[in-house]
Every structure is written in C-alpha cells, then in structure tokens.
C-alpha cells in the first residue's frame, strides 16, 4: 500500500518563503506530484518530479529525493491568493495517484 | 472547451436512496477517476478506468459501482446511500494513466445523505 505524510497546517506572511514537506512509503513508485486546492474548489496541478532534483515553475519549485522517499514544495514571494490546501501525490505503476491528507497554508498580511 | 464537467453540483439523499453521479470530459483523455474527499482525509480513489472498456477498484470502492459509458463519460452509482457516503465527489481525467500525467479535476458534487 501507499502512505504519505505532510504537515496539516503551515502559516506564513506575505512575501515570505514557505516549504511544505512530504514523505512517502509506496510500492511501484513512479513520481511525486503537487496539487493546489482553494476552499470549495477543484484540485489543480502544480508540479511533478520523476527524477531527483529541483523543478522550478515561476514562484513554485518542487524537489524530490527518491532515495529518501522525500519531497517538498517551495513557494516563494507568498501572496494572499496562495492561501489554499496543498496535496502531495504519488504516481504508481498501477496507473493511480495516491494523495496525502493535505497541508493548509494560511498567508497573512 | 469545458474540461471535466460533473452533475449534479449538490444532492441531498435519504438513507437507502440511489443516485448516479455523472462525469464527462472533452479533452479526449483515455483515463478517468472518481475520488471522494472528506475533511482531513485528502482525496481517496473510489474507482478508475485506465482506458475505455476497463474499470478497476481503488482504495474505497465499497458501496459504489461505476460505468465507463464511452471515452468521454464515466458515471458513479450509489445503489443504497448511507450517511457514511456524505462527502464531496470529484471526477478527474488524464491523457494516459501512470507516468505522472496531470490529472484534471471537475468542480465536484457535494452529497449529503440523511
């Protein structure tokens, strides 16, 4: 089976940098994805890592270490609109995504 | 291009009633998924269809059935609703299952079972 661990809540101020960690245990690991969900809305894709290292997309970056079964999402220059829940998700060779329970990010002025 | 659409948006059922949640995508994706989301539980996979003509159980399939009607449509049926099925249901699709392909989600169906 699969299991993922991520913090339940993170708080930060506008303009700051925040890192959301994710550790996983899985069989048939293919890659690690990150999704954003605003309250009441649909999850939307942010990034994907299949190989070790850092992927950068604008203010967001995602990192993966396959040997440590660990990844993180880095959000820079935080804005109020970044307040949302963030989910890490493991892609498996059985064609499915398994999601973590989510991290609620609260950005204050 | 509507992406992934779901109907209905909201539904209230009484225990024992049945209903079907509809999902359609216009992106010519091969794979479709049904998830439920409960507070503090993240998204849990109910059923998925890796390609037209196939369906497989996910993590929490009990009490549900699915039909991949054609490449565009994937429905979820509750034969006899229970209060434990009160949840938000999301449908998603992707071009090709596995390999980290982005999943695109519909707006969700909020279901309350009394």
């Amino acid at each position: 089976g699969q299991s993922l661990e991520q913090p339940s809540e993170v708080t930060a101020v506008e303009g700051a940098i925040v890192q959301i960690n994710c550790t996983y245990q899985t069989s048939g690991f293919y890659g690690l994805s990150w999704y954003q969900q605003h309250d009441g809305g649909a999850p939307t894709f942010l990034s994907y890592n299949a190989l070790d290292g850092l992927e950068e997309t604008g203010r967001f970056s995602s990192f993966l270490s396959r040997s440590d079964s660990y990844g993180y999402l880095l959000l820079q220059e935080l804005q109020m609109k970044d307040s949302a829940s963030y989910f890490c998700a493991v892609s498996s060779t059985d064609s499915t995504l398994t999601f973590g329970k989510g991290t609620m990010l609260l950005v204050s002025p | 291009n509507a992406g992934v659409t779901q109907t209905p948006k909201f539904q209230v059922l009484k225990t024992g009633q049945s209903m079907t949640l509809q999902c359609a995508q216009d992106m010519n994706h091969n794979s479709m998924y049904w998830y439920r989301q409960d507070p503090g539980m993240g998204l849990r996979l109910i059923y998925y269809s890796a390609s037209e003509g196939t369906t497989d159980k996910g993590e929490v399939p009990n009490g549900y059935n699915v039909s991949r009607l054609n490449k565009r449509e994937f429905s979820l049926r509750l034969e006899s609703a229970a209060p434990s099925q009160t949840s938000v249901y999301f449908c998603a699709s992707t071009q090709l299952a596995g390999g980290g392909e982005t999943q695109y989600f519909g707006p969700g169906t909020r279901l309350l079972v009394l």
Side-chain angles (χ1 to χ4, degrees), chain A residues 25-85:
Chain A
Q25 292 183 337
T26 183
S27 55
F29 178 83
Y30 209 98
L32 187 71
S33 301
W34 289 91
Y35 284 76
Q36 180 191 58
Q37 184 182 34
H38 285 99
D39 193 31
T44 56
F45 173 81
L46 289 177
S47 69
Y48 173 71
N49 295 70
L51 303 175
D52 286 359
L54 194 68
E55 294 283 341
E56 297 180 72
T57 309
R59 295 187 296 113
F60 295 0
S61 303
S62 58
F63 172 83
L64 175 65
S65 168
R66 295 174 70 112
S67 60
D68 295 324
S69 298
Y70 164 76
Y72 66 73
L73 179 69
L74 191 73
L75 298 85
Q76 303 183 63
E77 300 172 17
L78 280 173
Q79 303 174 9
M80 295 293 288
K81 68 178 181 180
D82 296 328
S83 291
S85 291

Side-chain angles (χ1 to χ4, degrees), chain A residues 30 33 35 37 39-45 48 87 91-92 94-102, chain B residues 33 35 37 40-43 45 48 50 59 90 97-107 110:
Chain A
Y30 209 98
S33 301
Y35 284 76
Q37 184 182 34
D39 193 31
T44 56
F45 173 81
Y48 173 71
F87 296 87
S91 298
S92 304
D94 67 353
S95 307
T96 64
L97 272 183
T98 300
F99 286 82
K101 294 182 178 181
Chain B
Y33 306 81
Y35 295 90
Q37 185 174 32
M41 295 297 292
L43 290 144
L45 183 64
Y48 67 104
E59 180 186 353
F90 287 101
E101 292 283 339
T102 302
Q103 288 197 7
Y104 295 85
F105 285 80
R110 283 145 184 81

Side-chain angles (χ1 to χ4, degrees), chain B residues 11-71:
Chain B
Q11 185 71 48
V12 179
L13 291 178
K14 295 181 180 178
T15 296
Q17 287 185 317
S18 63
M19 78 164 294
T20 299
L21 283 67
Q22 306 286 353
C23 174
Q25 51 90 10
D26 62 3
M27 296 174 282
N28 201 35
H29 285 170
N30 289 301
S31 305
M32 298 184 73
Y33 306 81
W34 276 106
Y35 295 90
R36 62 177 288 172
Q37 185 174 32
D38 304 297
M41 295 297 292
L43 290 144
R44 293 184 292 170
L45 183 64
I46 305 171
Y47 271 94
Y48 67 104
S49 171
S51 61
E52 188 178 356
T54 69
T55 59
D56 286 285
K57 295 179 180 179
E59 180 186 353
V60 288
N62 291 345
Y64 305 95
N65 284 300
V66 290
S67 295
R68 184 74 183 266
L69 303 170
N70 48 54
K71 191 171 185 178

